Amino acid sequence: MGNSKTLIVYYSRSGNTKTVAELIQEKVGGEIVQLETKEARPSNYQEEVAQNEQEQSANIEPELKTSIPDFKDYDRIFIGAPTWNMALPQAVITFMNSYDISGKVVIPFNTNGGYGVGSSFEQIKSSVSAAKVLEGFSVHGGEEVNGILLAIKGNGKTKVSQEIDTWLEKIGQSKK
């Protein structure tokens, strides 16, 4: 990607998506930013998912505490999120609707509890239709519903790191 300026933005609850974001940063460089909402989210997983489901149904976009003042300077944006209710967390929708992403290269990544990416990548594609969206990366992370929080650690983290290498090579985005 030559002299492109890279931003890795992610939303993470239990740390799995954060870990993937950090692994990507190790491989491609760039700035990393965690999306946080102004209003505190429920600490209980079931309550968090229920609140997000209500927000999805009512098209509510929670206000973000996170601000990226130099966003226009980035031309390659990795967007990461867990799958909730088979879709993106609403905070990610807020992010995509808050910034002009047109003309940028967008690269989605996802963690999930075993049910896959759901509609997350399609939501990203439709939200940033004036951007070039590359093939996304999805990996099974924790299963909070089963009490498994941070699953991408130790040997699992090494395996995910290798999978990320393969994905980045495939989409032509490897190396800093």
Side-chain angles (χ1 to χ4, degrees):
M1 279 295 298
N3 293 326
S4 70
K5 190 163 180 193
T6 300
L7 175 67
I8 302 159
V9 63
Y10 69 93
Y11 187 80
S12 187
R13 176 182 161 77
S14 60
N16 290 293
T17 307
K18 177 182 181 185
T19 300
V20 173
E22 291 168 347
L23 288 168
I24 291 169
Q25 184 186 37
E26 286 175 17
K27 296 163 188 312
V28 301
E31 302 296 319
I32 191 166
V33 175
Q34 180 172 356
L35 295 176
E36 296 180 85
T37 57
K38 277 195 175 178
E39 203 170 289
R41 305 299 290 185
S43 58
N44 175 282
Y45 174 72
Q46 296 297 352
E47 290 172 15
E48 169 75 35
V49 171
Q51 178 176 328
N52 191 72
E53 189 172 354
Q54 290 172 340
E55 290 169 350
Q56 288 171 337
S57 297
N59 289 319
I60 294 169
E61 295 180 16
E63 198 173 344
L64 295 179
K65 177 167 63 172
T66 306
S67 174
I68 308 168
D70 57 346
F71 184 82
K72 67 182 180 333
D73 296 339
Y74 296 99
D75 50 12
R76 178 170 68 165
I77 316 292
F78 286 83
I79 300 175
T83 299
W84 285 354
N85 192 33
M86 297 309 290
L88 289 171
Q90 287 299 101
V92 178
I93 301 293
T94 302
F95 162 74
M96 292 187 298
N97 290 336
S98 298
Y99 294 93
D100 180 8
I101 303 178
S102 58
K104 299 183 185 298
V105 173
V106 172
I107 309 162
F109 64 97
N110 164 272
T111 58
N112 63 77
Y115 293 100
V117 71
S119 64
S120 296
F121 291 171
E122 287 305 316
Q123 285 180 282
I124 290 172
K125 283 181 190 171
S126 65
S127 293
V128 299
S129 59
K132 179 181 181 180
V133 180
L134 301 183
E135 178 184 331
F137 174 78
S138 184
V139 65
H140 186 169
E143 296 176 21
E144 267 192 272
V145 72
N146 294 322
I148 303 167
L149 301 179
L150 180 59
I152 302 175
K153 58 185 179 185
N155 289 339
K157 184 175 178 181
T158 301
K159 182 177 181 280
V160 170
S161 179
Q162 292 166 346
E163 291 173 8
I164 291 170
D165 286 337
T166 301
W167 165 64
L168 290 171
E169 183 74 30
K170 180 179 179 185
I171 63 171
Q173 301 297 309
S174 56
K175 305 289 178 238
K176 288 185 181 179

